[in-house]
Amino acid sequence: MINQITALESCWHISPEWGQSMPPLAVKMLEKVLLSISDLSGYCCGVQWERQEWIYAIVCQNETLYLAEQEFHRTNVLEKSTVSTPAFKLGDIVEVRVSASQTLLTSGLA
């Protein structure tokens, strides 16, 4: 998963507004960061160009915070992630039923 995200970061190009240059990203996706205002840590899960600077989406204690580079410190530690086994196989027919109380997934072979 991390290799795919790193590849996306290195291949994704955004045009700067009217010929202005954009600074490089301060952290990588899934990199652990320490918040400047507390002793909490989180992981970078996204980034957007806003107000002439990068704004980072940091997941911390099940909340997503949107912070400028000055509001956190990088650690160069990437979150380890594993790809789970898919729930369905290629060729499975999947029926999704959504009700007010639950979502039910069923499958059957094609």
Side-chain angles (χ1 to χ4, degrees):
M1 183 82 170
I2 292 173
N3 291 338
Q4 293 171 350
I5 291 172
T6 303
L8 178 62
E9 286 178 357
S10 64
C11 297
W12 190 266
H13 299 285
I14 301 174
S15 299
E17 296 178 23
W18 300 105
Q20 298 175 1
S21 62
M22 288 182 169
L25 294 178
V27 295
K28 295 180 179 179
M29 298 293 286
L30 297 181
E31 183 174 341
K32 184 175 182 177
V33 296
L34 302 173
L35 304 183
S36 300
I37 57 174
S38 66
D39 59 351
L40 296 175
S41 65
Y43 288 91
C44 180
C45 67
V47 63
Q48 65 186 29
W49 183 251
E50 186 179 304
R51 299 185 308 264
Q52 301 301 315
E53 66 179 338
W54 288 118
I55 300 297
Y56 298 85
I58 308 293
V59 175
C60 179
Q61 295 185 340
N62 295 326
E63 289 188 39
T64 303
L65 308 172
Y66 297 93
L67 306 173
E69 181 180 348
Q70 303 81 13
E71 299 179 78
F72 60 84
H73 303 287
R74 64 181 300 168
T75 63
N76 290 319
V77 175
L78 297 178
E79 179 181 30
K80 294 180 181 177
S81 62
T82 57
V83 177
S84 60
T85 304
F88 307 104
K89 296 178 188 169
L90 184 62
D92 283 355
I93 296 174
V94 179
E95 180 181 344
V96 180
R97 289 186 218 148
V98 179
S99 66
S101 61
Q102 67 180 352
T103 301
L104 174 65
L105 298 175
T106 60
S107 69
L109 294 175

